[in-house]
Amino acid sequence: MRKGFILMFMLVLSLFLAACGSSDEGESSSNSDGGEEASDSKWSEIQEEGEIVVGTSGTLFPASYYPEDSDEMTGYDVEIMREVADRLGLELKFEEYGVDGLLSAINSGRIDAVINDMEVTKDRQEQFSFSDPYKYSYSTMIVRESDLSGIETLEDLEGKTHGGGATTVFSQIAEHFGAETKTYGNVTNDVYLRDVENGNTDFIINDYYLQSLALKALTDIEVKLHPDLKFHPTNSAIVMPKEATKMTEEINAVLQEMRDDGTLTELSKEFFGGKDASKEPEADIREIEGLDL
């Protein structure tokens, strides 16, 4: 069991970096006309078919993935979508796409929605409709256990070396504060962490929940989450066509039911090591000023 758990984490960081770092270029919405008519049409179409088709990657642990030795997809996002479809009285069909192809699949009409830990951004909101958030998170950083890599504030990142992807949100934050990013190919998660431990890099910025899970899986590496730095709050939501107002309303109503009856909390604790990502964190999360993310 532990072997499978660690192997899963060998894919976590690179996959998550790809998900959060993808450019929004080429995602412009094709829905330019129709307004309310298009909104009602999309929901009527789904009801008539009795099925909602949802895009996801199937490769993003713990949101959407296949457990080792299993051919059934699961994850926080996957199980949320299953519950939403069930409460709406709809059959659910998942279509798997690479992260870069998910949003374009909405525009082409191949799918009705996307759920894949998709961050709500200003650019995306101009092109798509989003449900209310089902996950709230923020960024933290992994540093050396012995000295916190000499980092007390984000301003101390100047001159430090960040381990990550070249075009990700996390690298943008690091470079905004004067750090240099060391980029990697398709390496395993432990390579990132050991480079911090041995001083080849100084820190790794990433999602709080994913970093917490990674450290839980790889306890032999002498790194830790920085105890004081919490920044760049994020929300994840279901993505739908821009004009799908009625569909958005229906899904939001079900998500609120799931929040009220504790279903979102239960699912989050199942997939995030007992932590409740369905609620906004109580901690004071620093917004990054002067950087358009």
Side-chain angles (χ1 to χ4, degrees), residues 80-94:
I80 284 175
M81 199 66 234
R82 285 193 173 120
E83 185 68 17
V84 168
D86 183 65
R87 295 192 187 199
L88 288 172
L90 299 170
E91 294 294 322
L92 172 63
K93 180 181 180 183
F94 281 115

Side-chain angles (χ1 to χ4, degrees), residues 141-153:
M141 68 175 69
I142 287 175
V143 292
R144 283 186 289 280
E145 195 170 85
S146 58
D147 63 352
L148 303 184
S149 299
I151 299 167
E152 294 184 9
T153 70

Side-chain angles (χ1 to χ4, degrees), residues 5 9 61-62 75-77 80 134-138 140 207-217 225-226 230 259 262-283:
F5 188 59
F9 272 104
F61 181 86
Y76 180 54
D77 291 36
I80 284 175
Y134 60 81
K135 179 192 171 198
Y136 299 88
S137 190
Y138 54 90
T140 55
D207 175 77
Y208 164 70
Y209 291 104
L210 290 186
Q211 289 198 333
S212 297
L213 288 170
L215 294 182
K216 186 176 181 180
L225 287 182
H226 198 291
K230 302 175 178 66
R259 188 177 304 281
T263 301
L264 289 182
T265 294
E266 181 180 345
L267 288 172
S268 176
K269 289 183 176 180
E270 177 182 350
F271 290 101
F272 290 109
K275 299 180 185 295
D276 190 357
S278 72
K279 296 179 180 178
E280 293 189 65
E282 296 180 358

